[in-house]
Amino acid sequence: MKERAAELKKEAERGRGGKAAAAELDVLAKIEEMEAPDRAVAERIHAIVTAAAPELAPKLWYGQPAYARKGKVVCFFRSGHVDKERYSAFGFTPEANLDDGSGVWATSFAVAELSDEAEKTITALVKKAVS
């Protein structure tokens, strides 16, 4: 994460991809400010989202990490510590189009830690959100 932040800082200073690099740098800085348990989860979610959906652009949304397509937020991470909740959350906006035929679907997930199974679920949801 720190290496990527340094790369983005250089890109922003050079002017190449300045706005996108600055936005991702803001997200990485916000993650770095988080309490240790939230920071570990947020770092992993950032890696999952950017690998599974490189077309999504990191940006801050309500002061928290989010990932957008054409400027519209598709998914986001909310720090439990910042929100004064006992767990963090990873959620999706209507832009994700996660609708299914049942008429009921989840749009937000409590996240206390990321198991291998949780990482696979998040990866699949993010891929579905951008397909």
Side-chain angles (χ1 to χ4, degrees):
M1 283 286 190
K2 290 181 183 183
E3 289 176 18
R4 181 67 179 140
E7 291 170 2
L8 291 168
K9 187 173 182 181
K10 285 181 186 177
E11 284 180 31
E13 289 169 355
R14 290 185 193 138
R16 282 191 358 222
K19 188 175 179 181
E24 186 169 4
L25 192 57
D26 289 344
V27 167
L28 294 175
K30 180 57 75 174
I31 291 170
E32 190 64 30
E33 292 172 5
M34 292 178 185
E35 295 289 323
D38 286 349
R39 182 173 54 247
V41 171
E43 286 174 347
R44 191 66 201 122
I45 285 178
H46 180 77
I48 290 167
V49 173
T50 55
E55 64 271 31
L56 295 182
K59 66 184 277 182
L60 290 180
W61 190 54
Y62 296 103
Q64 294 290 316
Y67 304 87
R69 177 179 41 222
K70 297 180 183 176
K72 295 186 178 186
V73 171
V74 174
C75 56
F76 57 91
F77 177 79
R78 300 287 310 166
S79 164
H81 181 77
V82 170
D83 288 344
K84 297 182 177 133
E85 297 288 343
R86 61 184 178 89
Y87 55 82
S88 295
F90 183 67
F92 296 88
T93 68
E95 292 296 317
N97 294 317
L98 293 179
D99 314 31
D100 68 26
S102 72
V104 178
W105 56 90
T107 60
S108 186
F109 300 85
V111 182
E113 62 182 63
L114 289 176
S115 65
D116 290 342
E117 185 177 336
E119 288 188 18
K120 288 176 187 173
T121 299
I122 289 172
T123 300
L125 286 166
V126 169
K127 287 181 177 182
K128 181 178 180 183
V130 296
S131 62

